[in-house]
């Protein structure tokens, strides 16, 4: 099986989108494997070997052009899935998630969406798991992650691969990302793995449809 999907990665500038994609590249990002289409965005082929064959995600990265709204319709068009990323050390990047979600839903309604809270390796986390309600209200998948520390970085693509191929038992095989540049101490790692589970266990009776969630 050879499957190919277009995935757009969106979110505020400097939240770590390009670093996340680079972690999954088997070749340097300045090689011929990267190309820039006429919209002025970078597209990276992120390839995985799975127990069902090869899966390739053509990941469209705005490369710092997040504010150029005129590009977005063409940028989103034809996407099979989206990754929305924010920085857990910056409340405003989480506050803007609702705008990014509305944007992608306008052009590509009903595609799979993964929300990622990046930079969980930092000590001064500002967006705590218990305060994040957006993904639960919209019923979209969420992962804590750190592109720098390689924490959970395979999970967004694994979830998308299983969802898009409709094969829940699909697994990645072989080495599919680079070695980490730093480590997360064990206590911090255990807390990161525990917090999202605790948040999901909390009762969420808030029926407010306002997308601007409180932090």
């Amino acid at each position: 099986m050879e499957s190919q999907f277009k995935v757009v990665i969106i979110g505020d500038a400097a939240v770590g989108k390009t670093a996340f994609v680079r972690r999954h590249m088997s070749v340097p990002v300045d090689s011929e494997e990267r190309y820039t289409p006429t919209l002025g965005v970078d597209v990276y082929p992120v390839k995985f070997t799975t127990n069902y064959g090869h899966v390739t995600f053509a990941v469209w990265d705005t490369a710092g052009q997040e504010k150029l709204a005129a590009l977005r319709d063409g940028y989103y068009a034809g996407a099979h899935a989206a990754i929305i990323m924010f920085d857990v050390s910056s409340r405003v990047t989480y506050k803007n998630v609702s705008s990014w979600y509305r944007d992608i839903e306008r052009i590509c309604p009903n595609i799979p969406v993964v929300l990622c809270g990046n930079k969980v390796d930092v000590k001064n986390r500002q967006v705590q798991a218990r305060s994040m309600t957006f993904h639960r209200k919209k019923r979209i998948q969420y992962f804590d992650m750190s592109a720098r520390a390689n924490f959970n970085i395979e999970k967004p693509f694994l979830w998308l691969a299983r969802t898009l191929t409709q094969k829940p038992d699909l697994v990645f095989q072989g080495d599919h990302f680079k070695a980490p540049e730093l480590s997360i101490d064990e206590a911090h790692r255990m807390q990161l793995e525990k917090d999202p589970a605790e948040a999901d266990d909390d009762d969420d009776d808030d029926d407010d449809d306002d997308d601007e969630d409180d932090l």
Side-chain angles (χ1 to χ4, degrees), residues 67-187:
K67 295 183 179 180
L68 300 184
L71 295 179
R72 291 181 186 167
D73 287 9
Y75 172 67
Y76 297 150
H80 297 98
I83 296 172
I84 305 176
M85 187 172 293
F86 70 94
D87 175 355
V88 299
S89 66
S90 169
R91 286 190 176 92
V92 69
T93 65
Y94 178 67
K95 199 74 174 176
N96 290 336
V97 163
S98 59
S99 295
W100 291 107
Y101 182 79
R102 283 195 301 268
D103 224 17
I104 190 68
E105 278 284 287
R106 178 175 58 85
I107 304 299
C108 302
N110 304 317
I111 64 171
V113 176
V114 180
L115 178 63
C116 296
N118 191 28
K119 305 187 184 181
V120 297
D121 53 295
V122 301
K123 299 297 184 181
N124 61 331
R125 177 169 181 158
Q126 300 297 309
V127 185
Q128 300 298 329
R130 288 179 178 276
S131 69
M132 294 188 299
T133 60
F134 184 83
H135 65 287
R136 295 197 294 276
K137 287 181 178 180
K138 297 300 183 182
R139 299 186 183 279
I140 60 177
Q141 183 63 46
Y142 173 77
F143 294 109
D144 265 351
M145 57 165 283
S146 169
R148 293 181 67 204
N150 278 2
F151 177 71
N152 277 356
I153 68 167
E154 78 286 359
K155 289 189 176 180
F157 284 123
L158 180 59
W159 185 85
L160 287 176
R162 289 172 172 173
T163 301
L164 291 168
T165 63
Q166 298 184 336
K167 297 185 183 300
D169 60 338
L170 181 148
V171 294
F172 292 155
Q173 298 177 334
D175 296 329
H176 52 271
F177 53 80
K178 299 177 182 179
E181 294 178 356
L182 54 92
S183 61
I184 299 177
D185 66 75
E186 192 60 26

